[in-house]
Amino acid sequence: MHRMVETGARRTQLLRGVLDLCLLTVMADGPAYGYEMTKRLAARGLSIVGEGSIYPLLGRLERDGLVDTHRSASNGGPPRKYYQLSGPGRRALASGIREWESTRDAVDAVLGGMHTEVVA
Amino acid sequence: MNPFVTSCRKEWARIGVPDAAANEMAADLEADLAEAEADGVSPEHVLGNGYFDPASFAASWARAAGVATAARRPTWSGLRHRWLYLAGALAFAAVGLLGIALLAVTRRSAVGISKRALLGPGFQLHVAPGLPGPFLKPTGPFAVQVSQAPVAVGLLLLLAALVGIGLTLWLWRPWSAERRRPGTDRDVGMPSYL
C-alpha cells in the first residue's frame, strides 16, 4: 500500500492553514490572553498538543494589525497582554471562514463517496 | 524564574530584542505557565512543540512579533563556507588575470615584430590567424613567426576564470538576504494570506 503522510503530520499541515482563524474566533468571544486562548480552544475540542505554539502566531496577528492588545490584571494575577479582534481582524476572520467553508465543501465533495476500511 | 522562560530570555538577548519587549513577553509567558501548572496542565499544552526547543520558540515569537533587531549570528560552518567561496572566487580571478596577462604579452610581441618590420626591406605582409590585423613578417634568415599557443592558452584561462567565478557566485549567493533557517519558522498557522 502506498504510504501516505502520517496522521500527525497531516493534522499539522491542516491545522497550519486555519489556526489563525481559530484564534481570531475565540477572541471574538471577548479579550483573552495566551493561556486563556488555549483553554478556549480546548473547550471547543481543539488541542494544540504536538503542534506549533500559538505565541508566534499571536505576535504575527498583532504585527499585522488583526488584533488589538492591552495590558491589565488577570483574575487577581499579574498584568498580562490581552488580545482582541480589531476591525481588520473581523474582516479577515469573515473572509477566512468563507474560504475555509468553500475549501471544506470542495474537499468533502471529492472525499465524500469513499468508504474506508481498517484492515487488521 | 521558570527555566523555560530563562532560556527564552537568553535567546531574546542574543537576537537583540529590546528589554521592554523581552520583559513583557517573559512576564506573559511566566504567568501563563504558572497558571497552567496550577490547573494541572502540562507546559506542552500551552506551548505546543515549542516546549522542546526554547531557543527556536523564543526566536520564532520575537521575529513574528517584529521585535528581533539583530541578524542571526552566523554559525561556524556558515563562516567556513563563506571563506571557501571567497577563496575560490579569488583563485579563479587569479587564473583570469593570468590569462589576460598572457594575451597582453602575446599581443605586445606581435606589435613589436610588426614595428620592427617597418624599419627595412626583407619583410613581407603576413596575416597570422588569431592576431588582430596583418603585420609585416620578416623573410629569409630573419623569419619570425608568432606562436598561437599562448593566445589559445590565455583565452582558455580567461574563459575558465569567468565560468569559475560565475559558478562560485551562484553557489554562494552572497546577495541572498533570506537563507533557510531550520527550526525557527516552524510556526503552525502562518498562512501567506495573513
Side-chain angles (χ1 to χ4, degrees), chain A residues 62-73:
Chain A
E62 181 182 6
R63 195 179 78 175
D64 292 347
L66 300 182
V67 298
D68 292 325
T69 63
H70 65 273
R71 294 192 76 84
S72 64

Side-chain angles (χ1 to χ4, degrees), chain A residues 46-85:
Chain A
L46 182 61
S47 169
I48 64 167
V49 175
E51 309 297 342
S53 171
I54 67 169
Y55 292 87
L57 183 50
L58 290 173
R60 173 67 66 89
L61 293 175
E62 181 182 6
R63 195 179 78 175
D64 292 347
L66 300 182
V67 298
D68 292 325
T69 63
H70 65 273
R71 294 192 76 84
S72 64
S74 57
N75 301 327
R80 295 196 204 176
K81 176 182 279 189
Y82 280 79
Y83 299 81
Q84 63 188 68
L85 277 181

Side-chain angles (χ1 to χ4, degrees), chain B residues 168-191:
Chain B
T168 302
L169 288 177
W170 181 77
L171 288 173
W172 181 15
R173 290 191 285 271
W175 56 82
S176 173
E178 280 298 321
R179 307 295 292 249
R180 189 171 61 89
R181 298 190 300 270
T184 59
D185 290 328
R186 291 175 54 216
D187 296 317
V188 176
M190 291 287 191

Side-chain angles (χ1 to χ4, degrees), chain B residues 13 27 78 81 83 121 194:
Chain B
H81 288 153
W83 282 113
L194 272 187

Side-chain angles (χ1 to χ4, degrees), chain A residues 20 33 51 55 57 71 80, chain B residues 24 32 35 39 49 189 194:
Chain A
D20 57 320
Y33 50 89
E51 309 297 342
Y55 292 87
L57 183 50
R71 294 192 76 84
R80 295 196 204 176
Chain B
E24 188 176 284
D32 283 357
E35 184 177 336
D39 289 346
N49 280 339
L194 272 187

